[in-house]
């Protein structure tokens, strides 16, 4: 026997779904992930040196510029004209990786160095995203 | 107290935000179709590159000095502007965004602020920290003086991005170092006429008799003089007045000769004008539609027609209809069209619209709201009137365009791990 499923709601005319008025209250990822919307930017991680703390190649990084960076924070910096993601070690003036094969990098006065912001969240892309793939378009 | 906060070489600075490799290099930004230089960063200024110079004339000079060239990336500038304005808004409850990179602030009940210099530096620091855009801050007891102080903050030596005009000595110091054309409301023509009378600096202008100058020139000059003397003449509502004309016009990347191509281009300019009109809650009564070949052509052709709407409207569909109505009188086959555009030259306020007994109201706010929402969410021209076409031949040339770092997922900045 073939059954055609009909939503109960569809059979009743004249009554609106009681859930309709709550429709606007969807969860927003922005609200959860971004505390300073005007001071935040989004970037894409490239490389393997931060795998030890769970940042993999192709992951999405949420970078907050309003937050003060402290030692031990995962930060994004402008290091000699490149955006890099590392762990900040203020006392030794070093950029640490989270990988046994990448040694710490010392920041010398000759280097161009600015902290761009603190990585407050990273998003693991378990499946490829069409939006992010440039070759798709 | 009034303040004017604006970005230093905004377009060029915006290009540096997401491209750290050019932060310490000279950068220039080109106008539509890569025609002229429209923004020069401070490092490029030091090389002596003037603004508004045609690109082809300075091309070899730029290559020689390894100057970074960028096409105008409006998507990026608009996004960064919004963030910058939001950060500035935190410092005053009365903000008016005057242009993409300038905003006026009006401090009414801020007696607790004792040191405006320090407050200005706090604004600068916050904007730099949170958006990586450099701004200049000028405070003044009138909006014209705030504009003058802003000029001093950015252009005069001795001011580090912040200047305050709050007494006679600071006023004299800054105004006597400013030329006339740098005064808000004084254009090049007026300044020439004033210089014949021996008035060369802003300070000299400030010391003229407002009455005499009103008789000799205009009420605008009188008002400027009063404002320069610390008498507020422009009320806050004058400063933030809606635009009285809205234009969208552009020269083509490639000449257009075919009927449909030109019609599509003009119609899409009409759509842009309609959108901007809705944004400031106005209605269009009279529309100027024009197209021309290049003035350098042998047979220069130019045609412009004014279309009057029976009832003022902000409805994109009605505006497209109006354009279609007059288009046949504008198009001429055989002409290599170089430029076209649409301008709303008579605008009414939506709030005070006169209802017409004989003509039905043609506005469709629900449809337009939906249309604006879709285009805002998914990008301009996601939905468009069919007459605007999908052919992009007449679109701008932007050979040096940077990625859309903040508006396209595939363009977000790459961060090396």
């Amino acid at each position: 026997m073939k059954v055609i499923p009909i939503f109960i709601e569809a059979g009743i005319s004249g009554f609106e779904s009681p859930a309709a008025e709550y429709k606007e209250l969807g969860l927003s990822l922005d609200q959860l992930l971004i505390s300073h919307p005007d001071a935040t930017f989004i970037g894409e991680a490239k490389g393997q040196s931060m795998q030890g703390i769970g940042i993999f190649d192709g992951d999405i990084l949420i970078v907050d510029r309003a937050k003060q960076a402290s030692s031990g924070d995962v930060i994004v910096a402008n290091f000699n004209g490149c955006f890099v993601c590392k762990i900040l070690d203020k006392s030794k003036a070093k950029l640490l990786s989270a990988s046994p094969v990448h040694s710490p990098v010392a920041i010398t006065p000759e280097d161009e160095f600015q902290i761009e912001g603190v990585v407050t969240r990273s998003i693991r892309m378990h499946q490829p995203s069409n939006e992010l793939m440039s070759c798709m378009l | 107290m009034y303040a004017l906060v604006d970005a230093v070489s905004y377009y060029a600075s915006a290009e540096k935000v997401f491209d750290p490799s050019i932060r310490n290099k000279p950068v220039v930004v080109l106008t539509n179709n890569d025609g002229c230089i429209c923004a020069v960063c401070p490092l490029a200024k030091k090389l002596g590159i003037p603004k508004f110079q045609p690109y082809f004339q300075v091309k070899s000079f730029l290559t020689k000095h390894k100057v970074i060239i960028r096409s105008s990336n409006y998507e990026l500038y608009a996004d960064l502007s919004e963030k910058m304005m939001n950060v500035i808004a935190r410092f005053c409850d009365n903000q008016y965004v005057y242009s993409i990179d300038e905003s006026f602030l009006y401090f009414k009940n801020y007696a607790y602020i004792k040191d405006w210099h320090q407050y200005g530096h706090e604004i600068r620091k916050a904007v730099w920290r949170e958006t990586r855009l450099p701004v200049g801050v000028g405070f003044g007891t009138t909006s014209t003086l705030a504009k003058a102080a802003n000029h001093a903050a950015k252009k005069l030596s001795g001011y580090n991005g912040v200047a305050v005009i709050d007494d006679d000595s600071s006023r004299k110091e800054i105004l006597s170092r400013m030329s006339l054309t740098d005064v808000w409301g004084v254009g090049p023509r007026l300044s020439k006429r004033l210089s014949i009378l021996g008035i060369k600096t802003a300070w000299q202008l400030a010391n003229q008799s407002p009455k005499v100058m009103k008789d000799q020139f205009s009420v605008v000059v009188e008002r400027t003089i009063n404002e320069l003397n610390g008498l507020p003449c422009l009320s806050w509502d004058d400063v933030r007045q809606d635009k009285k004309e809205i234009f969208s016009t552009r020269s083509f990347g490639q000449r257009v000769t075919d009927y449909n191509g030109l019609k599509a281009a003009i119609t899409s300019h009409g759509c842009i004008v309609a959108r901007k009109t809705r944004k400031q809650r106005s209605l269009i009564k009279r529309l100027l539609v024009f197209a021309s070949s290049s003035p350098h052509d042998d047979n220069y052709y130019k045609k412009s027609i004014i279309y009057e709407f029976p009832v003022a409207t902000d409805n994109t569909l009605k505006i497209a209809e109006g354009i279609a109505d007059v288009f046949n009188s504008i198009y001429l086959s055989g002409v290599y069209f170089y430029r076209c555009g649409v301008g709303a030259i008579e605008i009414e306020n939506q709030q005070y619209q006169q209802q017409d007994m004989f003509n039905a109201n043609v506005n469709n706010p629900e449809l337009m709201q939906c249309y604006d929402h879709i285009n805002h969410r998914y990008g301009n021209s996601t939905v468009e009137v069919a007459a605007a076409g999908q052919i992009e031949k007449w679109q701008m040339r932007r050979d040096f365009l940077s990625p859309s770092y903040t508006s396209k997922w595939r363009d977000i900045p790459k961060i090396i791990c």
Side-chain angles (χ1 to χ4, degrees):
Chain A
M1 188 179 71
K2 278 187 177 169
V3 178
I4 303 168
I6 298 173
F7 292 112
I8 296 172
E9 193 198 335
I12 307 167
S13 63
F15 281 106
E16 214 190 340
S17 157
E21 62 183 288
Y22 297 102
K23 239 181 175 168
E24 297 292 310
L25 300 174
L27 295 171
S28 150
L29 281 176
D30 277 18
Q31 189 194 4
L32 178 73
L33 302 175
I34 301 174
S35 11
H36 304 108
D38 296 316
T40 295
F41 72 96
I42 299 171
E44 186 183 348
K46 286 275 155 218
Q48 276 80 35
S49 75
M50 298 300 279
Q51 286 187 1
I53 53 156
I55 296 175
F56 294 82
D57 186 66
D59 283 0
I60 298 299
L61 303 178
I62 295 177
V63 188
D64 191 333
R65 284 187 161 131
K67 245 183 139 65
Q68 188 73 45
S70 333
S71 270
D73 281 348
V74 181
I75 58 148
V76 169
N78 166 17
F79 191 61
N80 296 324
C82 269
F83 282 150
V84 297
C85 169
K86 295 285 165 200
I87 299 165
L88 181 66
D89 183 344
K90 268 189 172 170
S91 55
K92 294 195 186 115
K94 277 183 177 174
L95 293 172
L96 314 177
S97 293
S99 145
V101 291
H102 293 84
S103 28
V105 180
I107 308 159
T108 66
E110 288 77 51
D111 286 316
E112 185 190 342
F113 177 77
Q114 284 164 313
I115 295 175
E116 289 292 316
V118 176
V119 178
T120 49
R121 328 270 177 211
S122 65
I123 302 169
R124 185 78 270 275
M125 304 305 274
H126 293 280
Q127 303 248 321
S129 146
N130 284 346
E131 291 276 358
L132 283 173
M133 275 195 287
S134 39
C135 52
M136 300 292 290
L137 290 159
Chain B
M1 187 66 100
Y2 291 84
L4 178 66
V5 185
D6 79 340
V8 179
S9 332
Y10 178 58
Y11 286 5
S13 298
E15 289 291 339
K16 296 187 178 197
V17 172
F18 292 111
D19 188 351
S21 70
I22 62 168
R23 289 253 175 102
N24 294 324
K25 288 183 183 157
V27 174
V28 298
V29 179
L30 305 178
T31 52
N32 298 330
N33 282 321
D34 297 340
C36 287
I37 292 176
C38 66
V40 180
C41 83
L43 286 171
K45 234 171 250 167
K46 274 190 195 150
L47 293 171
I49 301 163
K51 248 188 177 182
F52 306 117
Q53 190 93 352
Y55 169 54
F56 72 91
Q57 280 181 10
V58 285
K59 205 169 166 178
S60 58
F61 182 85
L62 298 180
T63 332
K64 200 178 123 198
H65 289 89
K66 294 189 180 136
V67 176
I68 308 291
I69 299 156
R70 290 278 186 264
S71 305
S72 292
N73 185 344
Y74 296 106
E75 294 84 354
L76 177 70
Y77 308 153
D79 184 76
L80 285 175
S81 163
E82 198 181 322
K83 291 184 167 138
M84 173 175 84
M85 295 308 177
N86 287 343
V87 174
I88 295 167
R90 284 212 308 264
F91 290 86
C92 181
D93 55 8
N94 222 338
Q95 180 193 36
Y96 173 59
V97 176
Y98 187 67
S99 73
I100 191 160
D101 71 328
E102 296 172 281
S103 71
F104 276 101
L105 304 174
Y106 176 43
F107 297 88
K108 211 172 171 186
N109 298 306
Y110 283 81
Y112 73 90
I113 300 174
K114 296 282 174 262
D115 188 342
W116 291 101
H117 274 281
Q118 193 205 328
Y119 200 68
H121 281 294
E122 275 172 37
I123 298 176
R124 282 191 84 209
K125 250 192 234 156
V127 177
W128 171 253
R129 206 181 129 80
E130 297 183 26
T131 67
R132 281 294 184 270
L133 291 165
V135 292
V137 187
F139 292 97
T141 42
T142 65
S143 38
T144 307
L145 286 175
K147 183 106 179 167
N150 176 280
H151 172 85
K154 297 198 311 184
K155 301 269 165 72
L156 301 184
S157 60
Y159 296 92
N160 238 327
V162 178
V164 183
I165 298 182
D166 57 354
D167 56 18
D168 280 343
S169 72
S170 56
R171 197 165 62 87
K172 187 179 176 184
E173 156 73 20
I174 287 172
L175 292 187
S176 43
R177 289 172 67 191
M178 265 175 80
S179 68
L180 278 180
T181 39
D182 293 325
V183 177
W184 197 25
V186 179
R189 275 178 62 197
L190 178 60
S191 84
K192 238 184 214 159
R193 288 172 61 202
L194 289 165
S195 71
I196 295 170
L197 300 177
I199 305 165
K200 299 258 156 69
T201 67
W203 178 244
Q204 285 169 332
L205 179 63
N207 284 308
Q208 302 300 313
S209 147
K211 281 247 164 58
V212 175
M213 296 306 271
K214 181 188 168 187
D215 295 340
Q216 261 186 315
F217 293 92
S218 66
V219 65
V220 182
V221 178
E222 180 195 27
R223 207 161 57 185
T224 303
I225 293 170
N226 281 330
E227 283 256 320
L228 287 175
N229 284 299
L231 296 171
C233 297
L234 290 164
S235 74
W236 186 238
D237 291 324
D238 291 331
V239 175
R240 49 179 304 171
Q241 215 164 49
D242 283 339
K243 292 193 180 71
K244 294 194 178 91
E245 286 184 343
I246 298 171
F247 272 82
S248 173
T249 164
R250 189 166 290 158
S251 47
F252 294 110
Q254 256 175 304
R255 299 292 186 99
V256 171
T257 55
D258 65 305
Y259 182 91
N260 288 324
L262 186 68
K263 193 172 175 186
I266 293 186
T267 307
S268 61
H269 283 304
C271 296
I272 293 171
V273 169
R275 189 183 72 224
K276 289 184 175 167
T277 307
R278 285 195 293 276
K279 208 175 164 200
Q280 68 171 41
R281 291 166 206 279
S282 301
L283 299 167
I284 303 170
K285 181 66 179 160
R286 253 176 245 266
L287 198 67
L288 180 75
V289 184
F290 57 95
S292 72
S293 64
S294 161
H296 301 297
D297 289 352
D298 283 341
N299 297 309
Y300 179 48
Y301 174 86
K302 183 173 194 288
K303 190 83 188 244
S304 56
I305 291 179
I306 292 173
Y307 181 88
E308 190 186 339
F309 291 95
V311 181
T313 183
D314 64 357
N315 184 339
T316 297
L317 302 178
K318 291 293 156 194
I319 285 150
E321 267 176 42
I323 290 168
D325 239 30
V326 298
F327 183 72
N328 285 341
S329 338
I330 285 178
Y331 179 76
L332 185 67
S333 95
V335 174
Y336 286 80
F337 284 98
Y338 172 69
R339 194 176 176 78
C340 71
V342 169
I345 53 172
E346 193 184 325
I347 288 175
E348 291 175 6
N349 191 322
Q350 221 176 62
Q351 215 181 329
Y352 307 117
Q353 189 186 16
Q354 293 265 341
Q355 297 301 331
D356 188 317
M357 199 157 75
F358 303 105
N359 289 298
N361 194 326
V362 292
N363 294 328
N364 191 340
E366 293 84 8
L367 178 66
M368 285 303 111
Q369 220 173 48
C370 171
Y371 170 97
D372 287 340
H373 269 308
I374 294 173
N375 283 337
H376 184 73
R377 173 72 183 76
Y378 297 101
N380 284 333
S381 300
T382 302
V383 285
E384 201 53 285
V385 291
Q390 295 294 322
I391 325 143
E392 307 227 322
K393 193 164 78 182
W394 46 269
Q395 284 259 328
M396 284 192 284
R397 196 165 66 207
R398 297 203 278 184
D399 289 343
F400 312 101
L401 190 63
S402 52
S404 303
Y405 296 111
T406 59
S407 50
K408 286 202 184 96
W409 279 109
R410 62 192 153 98
D411 283 355
I412 60 175
K414 305 286 177 275
I415 299 167
I416 313 230
C417 288

